[in-house]
Amino acid sequence: QLDAFVVLASGEISYSSQQCSNFMTIYTIIQTVTLIPGDGIGPEISTAVMKIFEAAKAPIQWEERNVTAIKGPGGRWMIPPEAKESMNKNKIGLKGPLKTPIAAGHPSMNLLLRKTFDLYANVRPCVSIEGYKTPYTDVDLVTIRENTEGEYSGIEHLIVDGVVQSIKLITEEASRRIAKYAFEYARNNQRTSVTAVHKANIMRMSDGLFLRKCREVAENYKDVKFTEMYLDTVCLNMVQDPSHFDILVMPNLYGDILSDLCAGLIGGLGVTPSGNIGANGVAIFESVHGTAPDIAGKDLANPTALLLSAVMMLRHMGLHGHAKKIETACFDTIRDEKVLTKDLGGNAKCSEFTADICRRVQDMD
Amino acid sequence: MMATLTKALKPILGMQFGNTAKVFGAAVNSQRGKPTYPPPAKYGGRHTVTLIPGDGIGPELLNHVRELFRFSCVPVDFEVVHVNSASTSEDDINNAIMAIRRNGVALKGNVETNHTMPPNHKSRNNLLRTSLDLYANMMHCQSLPGVQTRHKNIDIIIIRENTEGEYSSLEHESVSGVVESLKIITRNNSLRIADYAFRLARDKGRRRVTAVHKANIMKLGDGLFLQCCKEVASGYPDIEFDSMIVDNTTMQLVSKPHQFDVMVMPNLYGNVVSNVCAGLVGGPGLVPGANYGRDYAVFETATRNTGKSIANRNIANPTAMLLASCLMLDHLKLHDYANMIRGAILTTMNETRLHTVDIGGQGTTSEVVQSIMRIIQSGGPLTTEI
């Protein structure tokens, strides 16, 4: 039974204490997480995830926020101040799919979020899901992509009529930061090797700089094996035998292509989790699929991607026990193949799928 | 008299025939700069082709090609030009380029690029492609019978812009610690490659051309490329045209590769997509590639691997290089020889016993080549002693 409920003045962490049968009081720290449901199927899959977390008794409290862009005082587009405050306070966020309106005049929402919180690393663990058959069955790798510069710097010029130049920017600082994150991730998640993906034979200076920084950081992490591989070799080998790869770290464009390639290997964006790590300890976990407006509100959506991203979030927060529980329940449901949503090959509703996972989670206790 | 006659008829014939026409036994060029086929250097019925051995598995595979050609009495002589990848001077590669200008056609292995050398030491392969203006890289990915792959019956043609884009090698360090690399897209080159793609699609009876791009992010650069493709597409109403973003393309390639027919794209995406497709049909040892320019053609393996780790161990797969030499024979209009060798290669492919290590077998390179020669010999009397 609940004995006391204390809310700190900052509203950040709340404690709950529970009187146990042998008169011991157990304190559980409940952490607040900013939840951005998103558009389209966003709200329904967010609700699904919240239900599953409740069933798993995960110590998470959700703070829902909206991130539709508004025009700030200087005329520049920005995310609403409440959302920004909430993220900065909680540091951890879970985001559903956001729609990018075509002629709204403001840049894509994902870009805005990235710039606001300096989300420099995009992490995508790709693990083959038993029960969701793809031609590739032994995938277990992580792609870590530099998310702020590189080919996506957006600097383009029309030199003369008919000649366009796009600038690819590589800086020492960003390269070192992403390399450091990759090696830290390897250490924290007991992974054995990090491979830097590059094209330094052609782009000698830019990818050369990226490689040099990776090598320098590798010196401080002797327990993790470091290799370098050309982009084309990685693509070639990935399609033939993906089991050779562990963690891949790379600049922006290669990361974009390779992370989607790996998502394709395990079954597409509907089952792939993703996390964005920013400076100052901010981390936003998201589902990378679209808003699917055609099935929005019809209880047909598949919450797996958002759920696996939420599991990634739990691991990031150190709650490995709950993460394992929820992940196992989710994989068991998919492996059983009895209650599957339409995109996974079944014809169950989203709520039925969610209920099945909740039941499994509760059965585990 | 013949010369004045042909000169007088030139403008009339130019309007009627468009390309070349045979008038009283003489070939007439209607457009300035259109190459005459077959390429020059044909004396006594024999062609001369430049051969660049390269590094890694290149030399041994090209030796097998020469052996096979000699055995099959193919009327091709090779002019061998070595390019030393370790030397910093550009004399070697310039000699090779001059030889290709002389002969018009080349067959090459990959020249290794040491990427720890300073930026002014450019990739030799890249230099060759840009100097000879080999603007189109064509790769025909076909599932070969007898090779076990996850996806069956793949048949995709990939056309990749070969001279500009991200491979312009224009880089500078503006501020210490900040490097800029320029990606150049020009209207002329984009139009040229799109035109090549559509003409090839029409010639081969293909129904759809897909442009691969990232114009949602690189709005000006890839936007220009896409616009040029659309313009060219309007001139070929019989061929369907659509476009796809590169990350979605790679995802679709590993899950549903049969939706693609002909694909056209700028340089770097071409590198990624061609390697993915080569992996889908069975690996780098199976797919030949061709680089076409207006006046020259250079043939090599599609994925351009040096294969240092398997060099000189008799385990490399000769299929890609041999199929590339067949493409070269087709280019020289020696179709009978090309079909004969190609048929022998495909028959050998069916025998799992002869598969090399990269496709899951235990056979050696020489066993495969011997088998091909035996099949050619049994096909007819036109061979020398083994």
Side-chain angles (χ1 to χ4, degrees):
Chain A
Q1 97 237 30
L2 220 56
D3 226 359
F5 196 79
V6 174
V7 176
L8 291 180
S10 66
E12 202 177 305
I13 306 172
S14 54
Y15 292 89
S16 80
S17 73
Q18 195 171 348
Q19 198 95 29
C20 251
S21 56
N22 54 358
F23 302 105
M24 243 183 13
T25 315
I26 299 174
Y27 291 92
T28 340
I29 299 177
I30 299 184
Q31 199 155 350
T32 319
V33 167
T34 309
L35 175 69
I36 303 164
D39 310 303
I41 53 172
E44 40 196 303
I45 53 177
S46 306
T47 321
V49 170
M50 286 199 281
K51 266 202 209 118
I52 296 172
F53 269 51
E54 209 184 296
K57 297 205 205 52
I60 303 282
Q61 191 173 295
W62 304 100
E63 204 173 83
E64 270 190 51
R65 288 286 179 270
N66 190 355
V67 290
T68 326
I70 58 169
K71 232 180 180 154
R76 289 170 65 212
W77 289 100
M78 50 183 240
I79 65 172
E82 313 87 57
K84 191 162 167 199
E85 245 176 72
S86 167
M87 262 317 300
N88 282 327
K89 178 168 59 89
N90 298 329
K91 300 288 187 203
I92 311 282
L94 185 67
K95 175 174 93 63
L98 293 174
K99 72 168 180 259
T100 306
I102 309 218
H106 64 73
S108 96
M109 286 316 309
N110 292 315
L111 186 61
L112 260 184
L113 278 171
R114 202 174 302 144
K115 286 244 148 60
T116 314
F117 299 109
D118 195 18
L119 301 172
Y120 65 91
N122 178 288
V123 184
R124 239 188 243 190
C126 293
V127 183
S128 282
I129 299 181
E130 237 182 288
Y132 189 38
K133 282 269 159 283
T134 59
Y136 301 89
T137 52
D138 47 0
V139 184
D140 184 7
L141 51 88
V142 181
T143 56
I144 298 182
R145 156 192 175 191
E146 207 291 324
N147 219 359
T148 57
E149 54 174 27
E151 297 81 349
Y152 294 2
S153 51
I155 311 171
E156 293 185 294
H157 313 288
L158 183 71
I159 310 205
V160 287
D161 192 25
V163 179
V164 174
Q165 102 186 357
S166 298
I167 297 191
K168 162 178 165 166
L169 204 64
I170 301 276
T171 57
E172 245 183 59
E173 187 50 48
S175 306
R176 198 161 32 80
R177 197 164 58 161
I178 192 73
K180 188 149 188 298
Y181 180 76
F183 282 96
E184 282 293 324
Y185 186 91
R187 232 181 224 170
N188 296 340
N189 291 278
Q190 289 87 41
R191 310 291 292 209
T192 45
S193 73
V194 171
T195 307
V197 180
H198 65 99
K199 264 217 91 57
N201 50 348
I202 303 288
M203 288 180 260
R204 201 70 56 81
M205 281 176 87
S206 33
D207 282 353
L209 174 61
F210 181 80
L211 265 187
R212 269 202 314 278
K213 290 296 143 205
C214 286
R215 281 187 205 135
E216 275 172 33
V217 174
E219 291 296 310
N220 300 333
Y221 292 84
K222 293 283 191 198
D223 49 328
V224 179
K225 185 170 136 196
F226 174 68
T227 46
E228 305 165 3
M229 221 188 235
Y230 286 137
L231 173 65
D232 34 2
T233 317
V234 172
C235 288
L236 195 54
N237 293 343
M238 181 75 73
V239 173
Q240 295 180 273
D241 190 4
S243 61
H244 285 155
F245 297 101
D246 195 359
I247 297 187
L248 300 165
V249 64
M250 55 212 129
N252 216 332
L253 176 68
Y254 314 150
D256 193 6
I257 300 177
L258 273 182
S259 57
D260 277 1
L261 178 65
C262 298
L265 294 177
I266 61 168
L269 297 179
V271 293
T272 311
S274 170
N276 298 293
I277 312 295
N280 305 321
V282 172
I284 301 184
F285 297 84
E286 60 177 352
S287 58
V288 283
H289 53 72
T291 52
D294 46 336
I295 57 169
K298 296 186 186 158
D299 199 20
L300 293 171
N302 179 358
T304 309
L306 193 63
L307 185 63
L308 290 177
S309 305
V311 165
M312 225 177 122
M313 179 187 79
L314 286 173
R315 290 214 165 96
H316 180 90
M317 289 158 63
L319 298 163
H320 294 280
H322 291 94
K324 192 94 189 93
K325 207 161 57 171
I326 299 175
E327 192 184 51
T328 317
C330 181
F331 285 166
D332 282 346
T333 308
I334 298 179
R335 193 185 314 126
D336 237 6
E337 293 184 26
K338 290 208 194 79
V339 194
L340 290 179
T341 50
K342 192 143 173 277
D343 61 313
L344 291 174
N347 49 16
K349 292 198 165 309
C350 174
S351 41
E352 290 167 16
F353 184 73
T354 315
D356 198 62
I357 301 181
C358 290
R359 186 182 54 78
R360 280 179 205 270
V361 166
Q362 277 157 347
D363 284 345
M364 278 190 215
D365 285 331
Chain B
M1 204 277 194
M2 189 67 81
T4 45
L5 194 64
T6 51
K7 252 204 217 137
L9 283 165
K10 222 172 176 168
I12 305 166
L13 287 160
M15 279 184 277
Q16 270 184 312
F17 291 93
N19 290 342
T20 60
K22 279 210 179 295
V23 181
F24 305 124
V28 174
N29 270 347
S30 64
Q31 289 163 271
R32 190 187 69 81
K34 237 355 183 140
T36 48
Y37 282 121
K42 184 178 180 179
Y43 297 106
R46 299 184 68 83
H47 296 258
T48 310
V49 168
T50 310
L51 189 85
I52 302 172
D55 301 310
I57 51 175
E60 66 182 274
L61 292 184
L62 288 169
N63 275 339
H64 285 302
V65 170
R66 275 194 282 185
E67 207 183 306
L68 187 65
F69 276 22
R70 192 184 53 84
F71 177 80
S72 321
C73 297
V74 175
V76 169
D77 293 317
F78 288 107
E79 182 190 343
V80 182
V81 183
H82 290 278
V83 177
N84 187 355
S85 55
S87 88
T88 46
S89 92
E90 296 196 353
D91 288 342
D92 274 353
I93 192 69
N94 285 334
N95 282 341
I97 292 172
M98 193 136 41
I100 301 177
R101 283 195 215 273
R102 199 167 41 233
N103 297 326
V105 179
L107 186 62
K108 75 183 263 288
N110 199 43
V111 178
E112 192 193 345
T113 309
N114 184 354
H115 64 260
T116 54
M117 294 191 84
N120 55 0
H121 182 263
K122 297 197 196 302
S123 154
R124 296 302 182 236
N125 307 300
N126 203 16
L127 261 181
L128 202 131
R129 291 192 290 266
T130 46
S131 313
L132 297 169
D133 199 24
L134 301 169
Y135 63 91
N137 179 294
M138 198 222 26
M139 174 176 158
H140 189 175
C141 268
Q142 264 178 313
S143 291
L144 292 180
V147 180
Q148 279 290 84
T149 52
R150 290 184 175 90
H151 307 270
K152 315 265 176 242
N153 299 325
I154 295 181
D155 192 355
I156 306 175
I157 296 182
I158 297 171
I159 293 162
R160 161 188 176 187
E161 210 291 326
N162 219 2
T163 52
E164 55 172 24
E166 297 83 349
Y167 287 42
S168 318
S169 306
L170 295 166
E171 298 179 298
H172 51 265
E173 190 162 359
S174 39
V175 176
S176 166
V178 176
V179 175
E180 286 184 352
S181 171
L182 303 181
K183 164 180 164 166
I184 312 283
I185 302 269
T186 57
R187 193 175 162 70
N188 278 346
N189 286 348
S190 305
L191 284 173
R192 200 163 59 158
I193 193 71
D195 193 54
Y196 181 87
F198 278 92
R199 258 187 298 123
L200 189 82
R202 186 176 266 177
D203 288 342
K204 296 212 176 211
R206 302 290 215 161
R207 283 189 324 263
R208 191 171 71 239
V209 173
T210 308
V212 177
H213 64 96
K214 190 87 191 164
N216 52 345
I217 304 283
M218 289 186 250
K219 298 188 171 67
L220 282 186
D222 285 352
L224 177 61
F225 180 80
L226 200 56
Q227 195 191 347
C228 294
C229 289
K230 286 197 183 119
E231 274 176 37
V232 173
S234 58
Y236 291 81
D238 51 326
I239 298 178
E240 219 183 296
F241 172 71
D242 61 357
S243 63
M244 201 184 263
I245 302 187
V246 63
D247 39 7
N248 191 17
T249 309
T250 48
M251 216 185 317
Q252 298 293 327
L253 273 172
V254 292
S255 42
K256 300 192 209 74
H258 301 100
Q259 60 183 293
F260 296 104
D261 196 358
V262 178
M263 301 166 81
V264 64
M265 58 203 91
N267 217 332
L268 185 68
Y269 311 146
N271 185 304
V272 172
V273 172
S274 54
N275 276 278
V276 171
C277 289
L280 289 177
V281 300
L286 297 177
V287 193
N291 303 289
Y292 294 107
R294 197 194 60 183
D295 304 314
Y296 312 108
V298 174
F299 300 88
E300 54 178 353
T301 63
T303 47
R304 302 171 179 163
N305 300 90
T306 326
K308 267 194 315 212
S309 54
I310 53 172
N312 297 321
R313 284 164 57 188
N314 204 15
I315 54 174
N317 194 337
T319 312
M321 196 58 90
L322 291 171
L323 286 174
S325 61
C326 292
L327 286 179
M328 180 190 76
L329 291 173
D330 275 326
H331 182 78
L332 294 172
K333 303 271 189 271
L334 295 168
H335 297 296
D336 292 335
Y337 292 101
N339 291 333
M340 177 176 76
I341 298 177
R342 202 175 282 133
I345 297 172
L346 292 176
T347 315
T348 310
M349 261 301 118
N350 266 323
E351 263 204 75
T352 339
R353 189 180 51 86
L354 289 169
H355 282 183
T356 43
V357 182
D358 60 316
I359 41 179
Q362 304 267 342
T364 61
T365 319
S366 28
E367 275 172 26
V368 177
V369 178
Q370 294 287 346
S371 158
I372 295 172
M373 293 205 275
R374 237 177 292 124
I375 296 172
I376 291 177
Q377 186 176 46
S378 61
L382 204 71
T383 52
T384 61
E385 303 278 302
I386 294 184

